[in-house]
Amino acid sequence: MANKQIILNEKDYKSLTLFIRQIKKTQKYNNKFMKVLVSEMENAFIGDVNHFTTKYVTLNSKVTYKDIKSGTISKATIVFPVFADSTKDLYSILSPLGTALIGEAVGNIATCYAPAGVIELEVIDVEQVTIGGE
């Protein structure tokens, strides 16, 4: 898995850093996708995504993406594991989809290392969601 540079807003970076610290000594830390996330965060660009002209996938944003091979268009919201529910298109940051899409910009091709194999996904749109009136 190649290192990529993701874009994170400061709030997501702080939340993910705290999350990683909290589970560092648990079995979940050995999850290969957690290791991908940690690697991505080490190379991340931290900034105010509201000042960029391109939309980026952040925690809780709604992302529309296309499977390059099949052409299938899907939607997902990347969340912390406790909130994951695939029946509602809520995917854990520790899932193959979560680690593939977080920090990607509209128009980017993300590589998803799924159990079924490597899947190339194009980020089509990102809708930022305000949580709790923030």
Side-chain angles (χ1 to χ4, degrees):
M1 293 179 223
N3 286 342
K4 66 176 182 177
Q5 184 175 37
I6 61 173
I7 307 295
L8 293 174
N9 62 41
E10 191 173 334
K11 182 179 177 184
D12 282 357
Y13 182 78
K14 287 179 181 178
S15 295
L16 289 169
T17 300
L18 179 60
F19 172 68
I20 290 168
R21 277 192 212 134
Q22 289 175 339
I23 66 168
K24 208 166 195 171
K25 296 181 183 177
T26 69
Q27 287 290 80
K28 286 185 182 180
Y29 189 74
N30 293 322
N31 173 311
K32 70 179 178 179
F33 301 108
M34 175 58 121
K35 292 177 183 178
V36 170
L37 177 62
V38 169
S39 174
E40 289 176 355
M41 287 187 60
E42 288 172 354
N43 296 314
F45 175 81
I46 314 306
D48 183 353
V49 294
N50 295 320
H51 291 118
F52 293 109
T53 56
T54 306
K55 297 179 186 177
Y56 289 87
V57 179
T58 62
L59 285 171
N60 301 307
S61 62
K62 292 183 180 182
V63 58
T64 304
Y65 62 94
K66 178 172 76 172
D67 180 320
I68 299 296
K69 185 176 181 182
S70 71
T72 302
I73 295 177
S74 303
K75 294 185 181 213
T77 301
I78 309 305
V79 297
F80 284 112
V82 68
F83 301 113
D85 181 348
S86 61
T87 64
K88 296 179 181 175
D89 295 328
L90 301 172
Y91 294 92
S92 169
I93 186 70
L94 297 183
S95 70
L97 185 64
T99 56
L101 293 177
I102 193 73
E104 292 290 349
V106 169
N108 282 9
I109 305 296
T111 303
C112 180
Y113 297 95
V118 177
I119 304 167
E120 298 292 318
L121 306 171
E122 179 183 1
V123 178
I124 296 173
D125 189 39
V126 178
E127 178 187 343
Q128 299 302 329
V129 177
T130 303
I131 305 292
E134 294 179 16

